[in-house]
Amino acid sequence: MTPREVFTKLSAGISSGDWSRLHELYAPDAVVEMPFALPSPVHIDGREGVRRHFALNGQAGISLRADAVRVHETADPEVVIAEFDYDGRAPSGRTFRVSNIQVLRVRDGLIVETRDYHNHAALAEVLT
């Protein structure tokens, strides 16, 4: 799969609420960075770490649907930059919309690195 196709599959999986197999899109030694996560930046190493992260998201009861997705290809054939919004619903029933940017590096059809810039302040507000 191309980097664009991998992002599309990842986004579709999150939007469907099926978090159980999303880790399979990541390389065994993948690195995920979320520098603006609250209360502190998040660093995840490896597919197993990604699986645990997605499992926690699935258990949280939050629903997300990607909207207004724009994927930009770069001069590096392994890298795409995705801009999108999440329309979401918190477990409380409260709805929200947050903006996101993801920079993905995909090699041999698997995500090897991402830097995820989600609006964590807005997410924290609706989840508390």
Side-chain angles (χ1 to χ4, degrees):
M1 287 189 292
T2 68
R4 179 184 292 267
E5 291 168 335
V6 171
F7 170 77
T8 299
K9 192 166 187 174
L10 175 65
S11 178
I14 291 169
S15 293
S16 77
D18 183 5
W19 303 83
S20 65
R21 300 191 69 184
L22 292 177
H23 66 284
E24 295 173 3
L25 296 171
Y26 290 76
D29 59 348
V31 174
V32 176
E33 299 281 351
M34 290 180 250
F36 298 137
L38 296 174
S40 61
V42 169
H43 174 94
I44 302 170
D45 283 315
R47 182 184 288 153
E48 181 57 25
V50 171
R51 185 197 64 73
R52 287 191 304 270
H53 176 76
F54 281 141
L56 289 173
N57 285 343
Q59 294 168 4
I62 190 170
S63 65
L64 301 169
R65 186 182 60 78
D67 185 46
V69 177
R70 295 162 309 280
V71 178
H72 307 280
E73 295 183 4
T74 69
D76 184 335
E78 293 185 338
V79 176
V80 292
I81 300 168
E83 299 177 82
F84 56 98
D85 297 318
Y86 275 137
D87 289 324
R89 181 177 299 278
S92 66
R94 185 172 175 190
T95 60
F96 59 91
R97 184 172 181 97
V98 294
S99 298
N100 310 274
I101 295 176
Q102 279 188 307
V103 181
L104 288 85
R105 179 174 297 279
V106 176
R107 189 173 299 136
D108 298 325
L110 295 172
I111 300 168
V112 295
E113 178 183 64
T114 70
R115 287 183 311 275
D116 301 350
Y117 302 97
H118 307 299
N119 186 341
H120 288 279
L123 288 170
E125 182 181 322
V126 299
L127 293 175
T128 57

